[in-house]
Amino acid sequence: MDHPPFNQNVPPSHTSSFQGLSFAYQGLTEIPYETILTQTDTLEVLDLSYNLLDDSYWNPALLGQLEKLSTLILDCNNYTSHIKFPYMPSVTTVYINKNKINNLPVFVEEIRQKFPNLKILSMMNNEAAPSYFNGGSLTQYKDYRQYVISQIPGLEILDDTEVLEEERDQARKTYRPQQSSHSSMKKKEDSSKKQKKSNTSIRQTTFLNEARLSRRATEMLSSRDRMVLPD
């Protein structure tokens, strides 16, 4: 089932126990950044569920200004697998149920890189998350869970179900974590540096060898000239 919207059916507001904003059920096609960004230093929970939001008007740079945000609720919108998030180490909970996510590896890699401290993820009723609710088989459901758990090692709850240690162990055996693009790029850069260093070393060695040969030839010519007897 979908996650109940935070403070549903009320205007954007906050509670006394924690700072939160809800824009649920407002038919939004754009995120109201002007209102949200007035609380960049205090906002902990942002609920944008049950709207008409999609990747088109998503601005990760602005969202990244919410330094204390811990919970992001995006249920029942039109976000796809290619949604881009800012790097947000403060976020521990993401609800993105019932959207248009159909490419699990692409989406999970984005989540893994941008939310390094994620503990709770719910993405039910998406094509990429097969289950009883959307016609997926038990085998597909288990495979989906193992893949997500293997890619996000710190995950504690997936789709309202606790991640058990046995499940985590099995996930590690079945799948290997994807290599982040940053790591791949760094390895390529290191490899390139090594190659350049190797090429430089080869050129230096070649130059030294040529210099030695040149000196040897000069010495041989000089020695031959000294050996020539006068008439």
Side-chain angles (χ1 to χ4, degrees):
M1 61 183 294
D2 301 327
H3 181 269
F6 164 76
N7 245 2
Q8 72 176 54
N9 297 325
V10 297
S13 60
H14 62 82
T15 65
S16 56
S17 59
F18 56 86
Q19 195 74 4
L21 276 176
S22 174
F23 296 91
Y25 291 103
Q26 296 193 29
L28 299 177
T29 56
E30 295 185 27
I31 296 175
Y33 285 111
E34 289 186 4
T35 302
I36 294 170
L37 294 179
T38 61
Q39 300 186 33
T40 53
D41 298 330
T42 57
L43 191 62
E44 297 174 60
V45 179
L46 177 60
D47 184 355
L48 296 166
S49 61
Y50 294 87
N51 283 296
L52 304 171
L53 302 170
D54 58 29
D55 302 355
S56 306
Y57 297 101
W58 183 254
N59 192 323
L62 291 178
L63 191 69
Q65 296 180 37
L66 304 176
E67 298 178 356
K68 292 190 176 181
L69 191 71
S70 63
T71 300
L72 182 59
I73 305 172
L74 301 171
D75 295 343
C76 299
N77 280 289
N78 297 311
Y79 291 118
T80 74
S81 312
H82 300 283
I83 182 173
K84 297 298 180 184
F85 295 101
Y87 182 73
M88 300 185 76
S90 62
V91 170
T92 59
T93 302
V94 172
Y95 294 99
I96 192 164
N97 302 299
K98 205 171 184 180
N99 276 266
K100 295 183 177 180
I101 299 167
N102 57 15
N103 189 319
L104 188 62
V106 169
F107 177 73
V108 169
E109 176 63 7
E110 179 68 11
I111 288 285
R112 184 177 74 86
Q113 289 191 38
K114 303 302 176 60
F115 303 130
N117 296 309
L118 191 66
K119 303 297 181 187
I120 301 172
L121 172 64
S122 187
M123 52 179 293
M124 294 181 285
N125 284 312
N126 280 286
E127 185 181 335
S131 70
Y132 171 81
F133 299 106
N134 60 5
S137 67
L138 180 59
T139 300
Q140 289 175 320
Y141 171 69
K142 288 182 176 180
D143 190 55
Y144 148 72
R145 280 187 64 84
Q146 286 188 0
Y147 181 79
V148 176
I149 293 167
S150 72
Q151 303 306 304
I152 310 176
L155 204 60
E156 296 176 358
I157 297 176
L158 175 60
D159 296 342
D160 291 340
T161 302
E162 181 182 359
V163 176
L164 302 176
E165 202 55 42
E166 310 89 81
E167 195 175 18
R168 200 184 304 280
D169 290 340
Q170 185 58 47
R172 279 194 291 261
K173 293 175 183 176
T174 307
Y175 292 102
R176 292 184 179 181
Q178 291 185 31
Q179 188 179 68
S180 68
S181 56
H182 175 75
S183 299
S184 298
M185 190 177 297
K186 189 175 186 307
K187 284 190 175 182
K188 286 180 182 178
E189 289 175 353
D190 291 344
S191 177
S192 178
K193 287 178 182 177
K194 287 180 181 179
Q195 186 61 44
K196 288 180 181 178
K197 187 175 181 181
S198 175
N199 291 341
T200 300
S201 178
I202 291 172
R203 286 196 297 269
Q204 289 175 341
T205 301
T206 302
F207 174 78
L208 290 173
N209 287 338
E210 290 176 349
R212 289 193 189 99
L213 288 173
S214 178
R215 284 199 300 272
R216 183 60 184 255
T218 301
E219 290 171 358
M220 290 178 66
L221 287 172
S222 176
S223 176
R224 188 187 65 183
D225 291 343
R226 286 196 300 269
M227 291 175 65
V228 175
L229 297 175
D231 295 333

